[in-house]
């Protein structure tokens, strides 16, 4: 792609070629050539539609399919677009113009429009043409758009042919690699099929031997089955006589059952009366369910109070963490100020590092205790849900409440143990912090004395300074 009037194309440099965008994939279509009378009116051509990124530049490229050296190029930039707007009264922007060109090219591909390439004037040069989008009608051919076109110079033709050759070489190289892989796979498959053929021969021989053995076994089994069938027929005849006798006995039992139906009706009436009494008992059970719901509400309130206490403990633990972080910052500042002192400081710094690790271990234990508390609170919520779901039947709910109360007691004991561990950690952490502070103060006193001695030594005037 290049601006009109310049013989040196943008395509000649690879930097500009990277910004080229294909508006429409390469399409084969018939184009009518009115200027060349020596050839047929319509010829098969390959059409390429491209634009340049970050620039108002459009290019249409026609190349004859039979001879791609014959190439015709139409380029439209901002200046030529303004001329087209004045000449052909176009009321669109450049982006709208590109969209309309793409739509008309698609119409040409579908057969609604035709592309005509005709010379401009007899007086003009032979390389100037008009690329027209024509709609064929019965009375008059309607020209939708006419674009200036020119034959491509040899450099651009050679560039595009070289680019097509490079693409074809790459495809050929990939195909050769694929063919080599396929040949290797075919050889492997052939060796595999030969192995399978030998295995099939062995299997066929084994199958023939097995069939012979099985036929002999089946013949012996068939004789045994014939003997068993004869015995079974005799048993059936005996069973038929027995069944006839059993049928007579069943008829006598049916007569007795008809008499028992009357007794069952009276028993049903008594059962209905019992159902009424059971309904009254159910009403009593519902009242018990209401009382159990009230007890559940009280338990939920107690659980909420327990959560509040847990949150207070978490806030206190966060304060302790902040305090430890501040202490660590003070220690780091002291280490920076005393970085220029001798190797004795490094040994004592290692001691400080071990104590810091002990503090981090304590903070990790606190976080683990918090996670245990959260897990236990989640388990309490799950138990609450199960208690709420089992409030439909009174007897089942009483059993569930008893079980949950025992679980709640266990959870409360676990919470107490967790609180005891947290309190122990609270007592141990301040002691460790005080020991760290005392150790830091001792270090400051030691190294402050050494720093004062160094300052006094530096303040003593030397002979060189006196000379200055």
């Amino acid at each position: 792609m290049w601006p009109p009037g310049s013989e040196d194309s943008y395509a000649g440099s690879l930097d500009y070629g990277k910004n080229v965008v294909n508006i429409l994939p390469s399409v084969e279509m018939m184009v009518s050539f009115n200027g060349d009378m020596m050839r047929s009116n319509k010829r098969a051509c390959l059409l390429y539609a491209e634009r340049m990124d970050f620039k108002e530049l459009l290019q249409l490229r026609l190349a004859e399919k039979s001879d791609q050296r014959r190439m015709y190029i139409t380029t439209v930039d901002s200046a030529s677009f303004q001329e087209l707007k004045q000449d052909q009264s176009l009321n669109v922007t450049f982006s709208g113009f590109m969209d309309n060109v793409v739509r008309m090219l698609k119409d040409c591909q579908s057969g609604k429009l035709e592309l005509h390439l005709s010379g401009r004037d007899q007086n003009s040069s032979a390389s100037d043409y008009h690329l027209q989008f024509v709609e064929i009608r019965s009375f008059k051919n309607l020209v939708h758009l006419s674009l200036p076109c020119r034959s491509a110079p040899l450099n651009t033709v050679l560039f595009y042919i070289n680019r097509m050759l490079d693409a074809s070489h790459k495809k050929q190289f990939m195909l050769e690699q694929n063919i080599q892989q396929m040949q290797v796979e075919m050889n492997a498959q052939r060796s595999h099929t030969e192995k399978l053929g030998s295995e099939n021969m062995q299997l066929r021989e084994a199958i023939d031997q097995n069939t012979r053995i099985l036929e002999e076994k089946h013949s012996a089994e068939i004789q045994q089955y014939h003997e068993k069938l004869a015995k079974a027929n005799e048993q059936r005849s005996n069973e038929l006589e027995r069944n006839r006798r059993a049928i007579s006995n069943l008829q006598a039992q049916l007569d007795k059952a008809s008499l028992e139906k009357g007794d069952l009706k009276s028993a049903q009436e008594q059962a209905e009366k019992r159902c009424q009494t059971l309904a009254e008992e159910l009403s009593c059970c519902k009242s018990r369910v209401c009382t159990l719901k009230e007890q559940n509400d009280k338990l939920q309130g107690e659980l909420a109070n327990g959560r509040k206490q847990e949150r207070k403990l978490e806030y206190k633990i966060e304060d302790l963490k902040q305090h430890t972080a501040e202490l660590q910052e003070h220690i780091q500042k002291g280490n920076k100020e005393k970085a220029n002192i001798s190797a004795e400081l490094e040994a004592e710094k290692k001691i400080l590092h071990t104590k810091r690790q002990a503090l981090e271990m304590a903070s990790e234990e606190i976080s683990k205790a918090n996670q245990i508390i959260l897990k236990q609170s989640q388990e309490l919520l799950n138990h609450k849900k199960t208690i709420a779901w089992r409030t439909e039947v009174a007897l089942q709910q009483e059993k569930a409440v008893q079980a949950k109360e025992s679980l709640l007691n266990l959870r409360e004991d676990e919470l107490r143990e967790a609180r005891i561990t947290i309190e122990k950690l609270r007592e141990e952490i301040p002691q460790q912090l005080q020991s760290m502070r005392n150790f830091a103060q001792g270090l400051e006193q030691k190294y402050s004395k050494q720093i004062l001695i160094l300052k006094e030594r530096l303040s003593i005037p030397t002979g060189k300074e006196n000379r200055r």
Side-chain angles (χ1 to χ4, degrees):
M1 186 182 292
W2 59 85
S6 64
E7 293 296 332
D8 294 348
S9 66
Y10 284 130
S13 62
L14 295 174
D15 294 333
Y16 286 102
K18 292 177 182 178
N19 296 323
V20 174
V21 179
N22 290 320
I23 299 170
L24 193 72
S26 61
V27 180
E28 182 180 351
M29 61 175 65
M30 300 300 292
V31 180
S32 63
F33 288 79
N34 294 326
D36 193 357
M37 301 300 293
M38 297 299 291
R39 295 181 174 222
S40 60
N41 194 15
K42 288 187 177 180
R43 303 175 201 167
C45 293
L46 296 172
L47 188 137
Y48 304 90
E50 298 173 347
R51 68 177 176 83
M52 182 73 74
D53 259 349
F54 311 112
K55 285 189 178 183
E56 292 183 350
L57 194 64
L58 173 69
Q59 186 184 81
L60 300 178
R61 191 167 69 251
L62 278 173
E64 294 184 13
K65 188 177 179 182
S66 60
D67 187 4
Q68 292 195 8
R69 293 176 298 175
R70 294 179 178 275
M71 188 179 290
Y72 305 94
I73 293 175
T74 297
T75 55
V76 179
D77 60 355
S78 58
S80 59
F81 175 66
Q82 295 297 327
E83 294 176 0
L84 287 172
K85 284 179 74 174
Q86 292 178 0
D87 294 338
Q88 301 183 24
S89 64
L90 302 176
N91 293 320
V92 291
T93 60
F94 192 83
S95 61
F97 172 72
M98 282 197 293
D99 294 335
N100 287 322
V101 169
V102 171
R103 180 179 56 77
M104 286 188 285
L105 289 171
K106 289 180 180 178
D107 290 338
C108 292
Q109 189 179 0
S110 62
K112 295 179 182 178
L113 299 177
E114 287 187 358
L115 274 176
H116 287 229
L117 190 67
S118 60
R120 286 190 175 180
D121 293 323
Q122 294 179 357
N123 295 326
S124 64
S125 62
S127 62
D128 293 329
Y129 299 92
H130 280 296
L131 184 64
Q132 296 176 346
F133 295 87
V134 181
E135 182 181 357
I136 296 173
R137 294 187 176 182
S138 57
F139 296 103
K140 185 179 179 181
N141 295 336
L142 180 62
V143 178
H144 286 275
L145 184 65
S146 179
L147 298 174
C149 184
R150 65 189 180 87
S151 61
L154 183 61
N155 292 328
T156 57
V157 173
L158 292 173
F159 173 77
Y160 286 115
I161 289 170
N162 286 325
R163 193 168 69 180
M164 291 170 68
L165 287 171
D166 290 335
S168 63
H169 284 308
K170 288 178 182 178
K171 288 180 181 178
Q172 186 179 1
F173 180 70
M174 294 298 290
L175 287 170
E176 287 177 355
Q177 288 182 347
N178 291 326
I179 287 163
Q180 289 177 358
Q181 291 178 357
M182 292 295 288
Q183 286 178 354
V184 172
E185 290 176 357
M186 288 290 288
N187 292 324
Q189 287 179 357
R190 284 175 184 172
S191 62
H192 186 63
T193 51
E194 288 176 356
K195 290 180 182 179
L196 291 172
S198 61
E199 290 176 358
N200 285 325
M201 292 294 290
Q202 293 175 0
L203 289 170
R204 284 176 184 174
E205 292 175 356
I207 288 163
D208 292 333
Q209 292 177 358
N210 289 324
T211 50
R212 290 173 186 173
I213 295 164
L214 289 170
E215 284 176 356
E216 293 175 355
K217 288 181 180 179
H218 284 306
S219 61
E221 288 176 355
I222 287 163
Q223 290 178 359
Q224 292 176 0
Y225 283 126
H226 282 300
E227 294 175 355
K228 288 179 180 178
L229 285 170
K231 292 178 181 179
N233 290 322
E234 291 177 358
Q235 290 177 358
R236 282 182 184 178
S237 61
N238 295 323
E239 287 177 356
L240 287 170
E241 291 179 357
R242 290 175 186 175
N243 288 326
R244 287 173 185 174
R245 293 173 185 175
I247 288 163
S248 62
N249 293 323
L250 287 170
Q251 286 178 355
Q253 290 176 0
L254 287 170
D255 294 332
K256 290 180 182 179
S258 62
L259 295 171
E260 290 176 355
K261 282 183 182 179
D263 297 331
L264 289 171
K265 286 181 181 179
S266 62
Q268 285 179 356
E269 291 176 355
Q270 292 177 0
E272 288 176 355
K273 291 179 182 179
R274 289 178 183 175
C275 288
Q276 290 178 358
T277 56
L278 289 170
E280 292 176 356
E281 290 178 358
L282 284 170
S283 63
C284 294
C285 290
K286 288 179 181 178
S287 63
R288 289 180 184 175
V289 169
C290 293
T291 57
L292 289 169
K293 285 181 180 178
E294 291 176 356
Q295 290 177 1
N296 285 324
D297 294 332
K298 289 179 182 179
L299 289 170
Q300 288 177 358
E302 291 176 357
L303 287 170
N305 292 323
R307 286 179 186 172
K308 289 180 181 178
Q309 290 177 359
E310 289 174 358
R311 288 177 182 172
K312 289 179 182 179
L313 290 171
E314 288 176 356
Y315 289 134
K316 288 179 181 179
I317 289 163
E318 288 177 356
D319 293 331
L320 289 171
K321 287 180 180 179
Q322 290 178 358
H323 191 61
T324 54
E326 290 175 357
L327 288 172
Q328 288 177 357
E329 289 177 357
H330 287 299
I331 290 163
Q332 288 176 359
K333 289 179 181 178
N335 289 324
K336 288 180 181 178
E337 291 175 354
K338 297 166 184 177
N340 296 320
I341 302 172
S342 64
E344 292 178 357
L345 288 170
E346 293 180 357
E348 292 177 354
K349 282 180 185 178
K350 289 180 181 178
I351 295 166
L352 285 172
H353 184 66
T354 56
K355 290 188 177 181
R356 282 183 196 169
Q357 288 180 351
L359 285 172
E360 289 176 355
M361 293 292 289
S363 63
E364 287 177 357
E365 289 177 355
I366 291 164
S367 63
K368 288 178 181 178
N370 289 326
Q371 290 177 358
I372 292 164
I373 291 163
L374 289 171
K375 288 180 181 178
Q376 290 175 354
S377 62
Q378 289 177 358
E379 288 177 358
L380 288 171
L381 289 171
N382 293 323
H383 291 308
K384 284 182 190 176
K385 291 179 181 178
T386 54
I387 290 165
W389 291 338
R390 294 179 181 178
T391 55
E392 294 178 358
V393 181
L395 294 173
Q396 293 178 358
Q397 191 172 11
E398 287 177 356
K399 292 178 182 178
V401 168
Q402 289 176 359
K404 296 301 175 184
E405 285 178 353
S406 63
L407 288 170
L408 286 170
N409 291 321
L410 291 171
R411 297 302 176 192
E412 286 177 357
D413 293 331
E414 290 177 357
L415 285 169
R416 287 173 186 172
E417 290 177 358
R419 288 172 184 170
I420 289 164
T421 54
I422 289 164
E423 287 177 356
K424 288 180 180 179
L425 289 170
R426 285 179 183 172
E427 291 175 358
E428 290 176 359
I429 288 165
Q431 292 176 0
Q432 291 179 357
L433 291 172
Q434 286 178 0
S435 65
M436 290 290 290
R437 287 174 184 171
N438 293 324
F439 185 75
Q441 287 176 0
L443 287 173
E444 286 178 356
Q445 289 176 1
K446 285 181 182 178
Y447 295 119
S448 61
K449 290 178 181 178
Q450 291 180 1
I451 289 162
L452 291 170
I453 291 163
L454 290 169
K455 285 181 180 178
E456 289 175 358
R457 289 177 182 176
L458 292 169
S459 63
I460 293 167
T462 59
K464 292 181 181 180
E465 290 178 354
N466 292 324
R467 287 175 186 175
R468 287 179 186 177

